[in-house]
Tab-separated table of all heavy atoms in Angstrom:
chain	number	residue	atom	x	y	z
A	279	MET	N	98.600	105.405	70.755
A	279	MET	CA	99.633	106.431	70.976
A	279	MET	C	99.171	107.825	70.488
A	279	MET	O	99.373	108.820	71.180
A	279	MET	CB	100.959	106.011	70.343
A	279	MET	CG	101.610	104.853	70.989
A	279	MET	SD	103.204	104.440	70.353
A	279	MET	CE	104.200	105.805	70.994
A	280	VAL	N	98.535	107.859	69.326
A	280	VAL	CA	98.014	109.127	68.859
A	280	VAL	C	96.962	109.679	69.809
A	280	VAL	O	96.929	110.860	70.144
A	280	VAL	CB	97.418	109.011	67.428
A	280	VAL	CG1	96.662	110.233	67.005
A	280	VAL	CG2	98.535	108.676	66.459
A	281	GLY	N	96.097	108.780	70.306
A	281	GLY	CA	95.089	109.147	71.288
A	281	GLY	C	95.716	109.637	72.585
A	281	GLY	O	95.268	110.636	73.208
A	282	GLY	N	96.788	108.950	72.982
A	282	GLY	CA	97.481	109.360	74.219
A	282	GLY	C	98.140	110.730	74.047
A	282	GLY	O	98.056	111.564	74.970
A	283	TYR	N	98.745	110.978	72.948
A	283	TYR	CA	99.387	112.295	72.716
A	283	TYR	C	98.311	113.363	72.689
A	283	TYR	O	98.504	114.504	73.168
A	283	TYR	CB	100.152	112.309	71.415
A	283	TYR	CG	101.403	111.493	71.399
A	283	TYR	CD1	101.796	110.682	70.366
A	283	TYR	CD2	102.315	111.567	72.511
A	283	TYR	CE1	102.952	109.946	70.370
A	283	TYR	CE2	103.506	110.868	72.511
A	283	TYR	CZ	103.813	110.017	71.437
A	283	TYR	OH	104.941	109.292	71.458
A	284	ALA	N	97.141	113.087	72.082
A	284	ALA	CA	96.070	114.034	72.051
A	284	ALA	C	95.549	114.383	73.448
A	284	ALA	O	95.327	115.560	73.762
A	284	ALA	CB	94.872	113.534	71.171
A	285	LEU	N	95.399	113.387	74.290
A	285	LEU	CA	94.930	113.642	75.659
A	285	LEU	C	95.989	114.451	76.408
A	285	LEU	O	95.622	115.357	77.228
A	285	LEU	CB	94.679	112.275	76.373
A	285	LEU	CG	93.347	111.670	76.076
A	285	LEU	CD1	93.279	110.279	76.779
A	285	LEU	CD2	92.145	112.502	76.543
A	286	LEU	N	97.261	114.194	76.207
A	286	LEU	CA	98.297	114.955	76.870
A	286	LEU	C	98.169	116.396	76.450
A	286	LEU	O	98.281	117.324	77.240
A	286	LEU	CB	99.642	114.414	76.514
A	286	LEU	CG	100.082	113.101	77.196
A	286	LEU	CD1	101.465	112.669	76.696
A	286	LEU	CD2	100.186	113.307	78.700
A	287	ALA	N	97.968	116.641	75.119
A	287	ALA	CA	97.845	118.015	74.651
A	287	ALA	C	96.632	118.716	75.264
A	287	ALA	O	96.757	119.909	75.693
A	287	ALA	CB	97.687	118.027	73.112
A	288	VAL	N	95.513	118.031	75.385
A	288	VAL	CA	94.320	118.607	75.972
A	288	VAL	C	94.624	118.938	77.467
A	288	VAL	O	94.276	120.034	77.907
A	288	VAL	CB	93.131	117.620	75.913
A	288	VAL	CG1	91.981	118.141	76.694
A	288	VAL	CG2	92.711	117.496	74.431
A	289	GLY	N	95.192	118.014	78.196
A	289	GLY	CA	95.488	118.266	79.579
A	289	GLY	C	96.457	119.405	79.782
A	289	GLY	O	96.204	120.298	80.689
A	290	LEU	N	97.478	119.496	79.011
A	290	LEU	CA	98.423	120.623	79.100
A	290	LEU	C	97.760	121.954	78.772
A	290	LEU	O	98.073	122.953	79.363
A	290	LEU	CB	99.631	120.321	78.172
A	290	LEU	CG	100.518	119.150	78.612
A	290	LEU	CD1	101.405	118.757	77.396
A	290	LEU	CD2	101.363	119.526	79.815
A	291	ALA	N	96.919	121.895	77.776
A	291	ALA	CA	96.131	123.141	77.416
A	291	ALA	C	95.262	123.564	78.528
A	291	ALA	O	95.111	124.777	78.854
A	291	ALA	CB	95.326	122.898	76.102
A	292	ILE	N	94.615	122.645	79.232
A	292	ILE	CA	93.764	123.018	80.394
A	292	ILE	C	94.592	123.694	81.445
A	292	ILE	O	94.165	124.710	82.053
A	292	ILE	CB	93.074	121.778	80.941
A	292	ILE	CG1	92.009	121.234	79.984
A	292	ILE	CG2	92.424	122.016	82.315
A	292	ILE	CD1	91.452	119.851	80.377
A	293	ALA	N	95.801	123.180	81.719
A	293	ALA	CA	96.650	123.790	82.698
A	293	ALA	C	97.063	125.187	82.275
A	293	ALA	O	97.143	126.092	83.166
A	293	ALA	CB	97.936	122.937	82.898
A	294	GLY	N	97.234	125.441	81.005
A	294	GLY	CA	97.592	126.803	80.574
A	294	GLY	C	96.393	127.738	80.542
A	294	GLY	O	96.565	128.914	80.847
A	295	LEU	N	95.221	127.230	80.237
A	295	LEU	CA	94.030	128.106	80.105
A	295	LEU	C	93.302	128.321	81.465
A	295	LEU	O	92.591	129.285	81.637
A	295	LEU	CB	93.059	127.499	79.092
A	295	LEU	CG	93.631	127.443	77.694
A	295	LEU	CD1	92.620	126.715	76.792
A	295	LEU	CD2	93.883	128.853	77.098
A	296	LEU	N	93.541	127.380	82.378
A	296	LEU	CA	92.858	127.500	83.694
A	296	LEU	C	93.908	127.313	84.819
A	296	LEU	O	93.959	126.287	85.468
A	296	LEU	CB	91.751	126.399	83.821
A	296	LEU	CG	90.834	126.463	84.986
A	296	LEU	CD1	90.056	127.822	84.992
A	296	LEU	CD2	89.854	125.296	84.926
A	297	PRO	N	94.751	128.321	85.018
A	297	PRO	CA	95.818	128.224	86.034
A	297	PRO	C	95.310	128.388	87.477
A	297	PRO	O	95.617	129.400	88.120
A	297	PRO	CB	96.782	129.316	85.605
A	297	PRO	CG	95.891	130.386	84.983
A	297	PRO	CD	94.804	129.598	84.326
A	298	THR	N	94.554	127.432	87.940
A	298	THR	CA	94.084	127.392	89.286
A	298	THR	C	94.251	125.989	89.839
A	298	THR	O	94.535	125.055	89.032
A	298	THR	CB	92.552	127.743	89.363
A	298	THR	OG1	91.792	126.757	88.668
A	298	THR	CG2	92.311	129.136	88.736
A	299	ILE	N	94.047	125.755	91.091
A	299	ILE	CA	94.187	124.450	91.651
A	299	ILE	C	93.214	123.471	91.000
A	299	ILE	O	93.488	122.326	90.725
A	299	ILE	CB	94.090	124.424	93.185
A	299	ILE	CG1	94.344	123.049	93.737
A	299	ILE	CG2	92.695	124.902	93.587
A	299	ILE	CD1	95.722	122.502	93.386
A	300	VAL	N	91.980	124.014	90.716
A	300	VAL	CA	90.989	123.137	90.034
A	300	VAL	C	91.438	122.802	88.621
A	300	VAL	O	91.417	121.661	88.197
A	300	VAL	CB	89.670	123.857	89.956
A	300	VAL	CG1	88.621	123.055	89.123
A	300	VAL	CG2	89.065	124.035	91.371
A	301	GLY	N	91.975	123.808	87.954
A	301	GLY	CA	92.499	123.542	86.597
A	301	GLY	C	93.621	122.559	86.551
A	301	GLY	O	93.689	121.654	85.706
A	302	TYR	N	94.571	122.727	87.478
A	302	TYR	CA	95.734	121.811	87.525
A	302	TYR	C	95.297	120.404	87.909
A	302	TYR	O	95.899	119.388	87.469
A	302	TYR	CB	96.790	122.316	88.488
A	302	TYR	CG	97.427	123.569	88.011
A	302	TYR	CD1	97.623	124.706	88.811
A	302	TYR	CD2	97.928	123.687	86.692
A	302	TYR	CE1	98.271	125.824	88.357
A	302	TYR	CE2	98.554	124.783	86.220
A	302	TYR	CZ	98.695	125.874	87.078
A	302	TYR	OH	99.342	127.037	86.582
A	303	THR	N	94.224	120.291	88.710
A	303	THR	CA	93.722	118.972	89.118
A	303	THR	C	93.108	118.265	87.932
A	303	THR	O	93.380	117.109	87.621
A	303	THR	CB	92.734	119.090	90.296
A	303	THR	OG1	93.350	119.693	91.406
A	303	THR	CG2	92.231	117.704	90.685
Side-chain angles (χ1 to χ4, degrees):
M279 292 185 70
V280 170
Y283 289 137
L285 280 174
L286 285 177
V288 171
L290 292 164
I292 291 173
L295 297 174
L296 190 60
T298 65
I299 186 61
V300 174
Y302 291 133
T303 301

